[in-house]
Amino acid sequence: MKALVYHGPGKKAWEDVPDATVQEPTDVVVKVETTTICGTDLHILQGDVAAVTDGRILGHEAVGTVTAVGDAVRGFSVGDRVLVPAITKCGRCEYCQRGMPSHCQTVGGIGWIFGHLIDGTQAELVRVPYADTSLYAIPQGVTDEQAIFLADSLPTGYEVGVLAGGVRPGDTVAVVGAGAVGLSAVLTTGLWGASKVIAVDSNKFRLEKAVEFGATDAIEVGPGTVGDVVALTDGLGVDVAIEAVGYPETLLTAASLVRPGGTIANIGVHGTPVELPMQDMWISNVTLTMGLVDTVSIPTLLKMVASGRIPAEKMGTHSFTFDQINEAYDVFANAAANLALKVVITP
């Protein structure tokens, strides 16, 4: 089979590798029919994830068809159309039992294993461990292009942003960073009845998309960003500030937007320390949340997509074939210049 293989920082190749096979009784093999690229993949190529070693197949999101089934698998059969999410869960360890499969202890102590600790989904075939507790059947009427964004970005924006932020009916919400994950937060905030959703970004294209995805207001980053947002909340600040970038300055911006008693929900993956003004924040009864997605919201999101409540397909802006995967990476790595949100990659 063909797969995109990591060969050290800055090096990858679409090349021939041995076919994925069932290795454990709980495994299935899935023929990949749609995949995409995540910002984490770019971090890996920059050498930021030491656990990813030379020879690892990249990718952790896929939609496809089951082609082989282990003897212990009961919930899936050959021919089933499935979503392969970013998080794998054994369903039995302490963290899975607590509803935190992001920290599943069975394979390496973390739920994110595809393209990280085992071979990933940017390939013609992928082996899926713990299939019964990890895979999701795709309902009729949900397209591959809709389902693929439920593997990671939509659950991340929803779980680590909207749910962790405690968004409630009538709340005012600011989303700092309108990339794919920030837009996922915008897209799903409406499920909880926020009265005002303010998108904040430096990119006009992304702000236009944010309004298309349901933001009530769009603020372009500038010297008066904080004042502009606070002015939209009668001078109080927002109930929930969602940070979806991962830079010190964006987290500080989110912190400056939230009102007393509010919540800062950090989604962004931070690569450097952030110094927060605790001397000013402590008296405001502010809550700060953060974390890795669990993907436990996928069944809910699938229902919302199937019913038309969430137009997940809007996330895809560019399409490529497997043979064009290097071009897809170039476009995604320069998303702002290419007016790209997420890429869709198919055979």
Side-chain angles (χ1 to χ4, degrees), residues 231-256:
L232 293 170
T233 65
D234 296 325
L236 298 175
V238 298
D239 295 291
V240 182
I242 297 174
E243 195 281 339
V245 184
Y247 293 149
E249 54 269 33
T250 51
L251 182 55
L252 288 169
T253 296
S256 67

Side-chain angles (χ1 to χ4, degrees), residues 16-301:
D16 290 308
V17 298
D19 285 356
T21 60
V22 169
Q23 298 179 19
E24 301 289 343
T26 54
D27 291 352
V28 305
V29 174
V30 173
K31 178 184 178 183
V32 177
E33 285 151 0
T34 307
T35 187
T36 186
I37 303 169
C38 176
T40 306
D41 297 319
L42 302 183
H43 280 289
I44 290 170
L45 284 170
Q46 292 167 4
D48 294 342
V49 186
V52 181
T53 55
D54 188 353
R56 175 69 65 232
I57 296 172
L58 295 171
H60 53 264
E61 303 157 85
V63 170
T65 301
V66 175
T67 59
V69 177
D71 292 340
V73 175
R74 296 293 178 263
F76 296 93
S77 303
V78 171
D80 286 349
R81 185 165 160 259
V82 295
L83 169 66
V84 182
I87 300 297
T88 301
K89 56 180 181 287
C90 72
R92 295 183 177 181
C93 73
E94 180 177 349
Y95 285 102
C96 283
Q97 291 294 317
R98 288 169 58 184
M100 289 181 61
S102 57
H103 293 276
C104 178
Q105 297 294 289
T106 308
V107 183
I110 195 166
W112 168 44
I113 59 174
F114 290 118
H116 181 206
L117 304 181
I118 69 169
D119 285 336
T121 60
Q122 290 170 7
E124 292 177 327
L125 299 169
V126 60
R127 177 179 76 91
V128 181
Y130 300 105
D132 276 334
T133 47
S134 298
L135 288 177
Y136 295 91
I138 299 175
Q140 285 189 344
V142 175
T143 67
D144 287 4
E145 188 166 333
Q146 290 174 316
I148 189 62
F149 302 122
L150 273 67
D152 189 352
S153 55
L154 269 166
T156 298
Y158 183 53
E159 294 177 20
V160 190
V162 177
L163 294 184
V167 176
R168 292 295 178 265
D171 277 357
T172 55
V173 180
V175 179
V176 180
V181 173
L183 288 172
S184 295
V186 170
L187 198 60
T188 55
T189 299
L191 298 177
W192 288 93
S195 63
K196 190 179 291 289
V197 180
I198 306 162
V200 181
D201 203 287
S202 60
N203 185 284
K204 290 182 179 179
F205 168 73
R206 289 178 172 178
L207 290 174
E208 290 171 1
K209 284 293 181 182
V211 172
E212 182 183 327
F213 280 33
T216 57
D217 301 271
I219 301 294
E220 188 172 357
V221 172
T225 299
V226 173
D228 291 343
V229 173
V230 171
L232 293 170
T233 65
D234 296 325
L236 298 175
V238 298
D239 295 291
V240 182
I242 297 174
E243 195 281 339
V245 184
Y247 293 149
E249 54 269 33
T250 51
L251 182 55
L252 288 169
T253 296
S256 67
L257 299 177
V258 72
R259 68 179 65 187
T263 300
I264 306 160
N266 178 82
I267 303 175
V269 178
H270 290 267
T272 58
V274 182
E275 183 176 331
L276 291 171
M278 296 299 291
Q279 73 280 5
D280 299 323
M281 294 174 63
W282 73 270
I283 203 170
S284 294
N285 299 74
V286 169
T287 299
L288 172 62
T289 66
M290 65 195 77
L292 176 63
V293 68
D294 289 299
T295 67
V296 293
S297 65
I298 286 177
T300 297
L301 295 174

Side-chain angles (χ1 to χ4, degrees), residues 4-20:
L4 190 69
V5 183
Y6 174 74
H7 290 300
K11 299 177 183 177
K12 65 185 187 309
W14 181 250
E15 60 188 49
D16 290 308
V17 298
D19 285 356

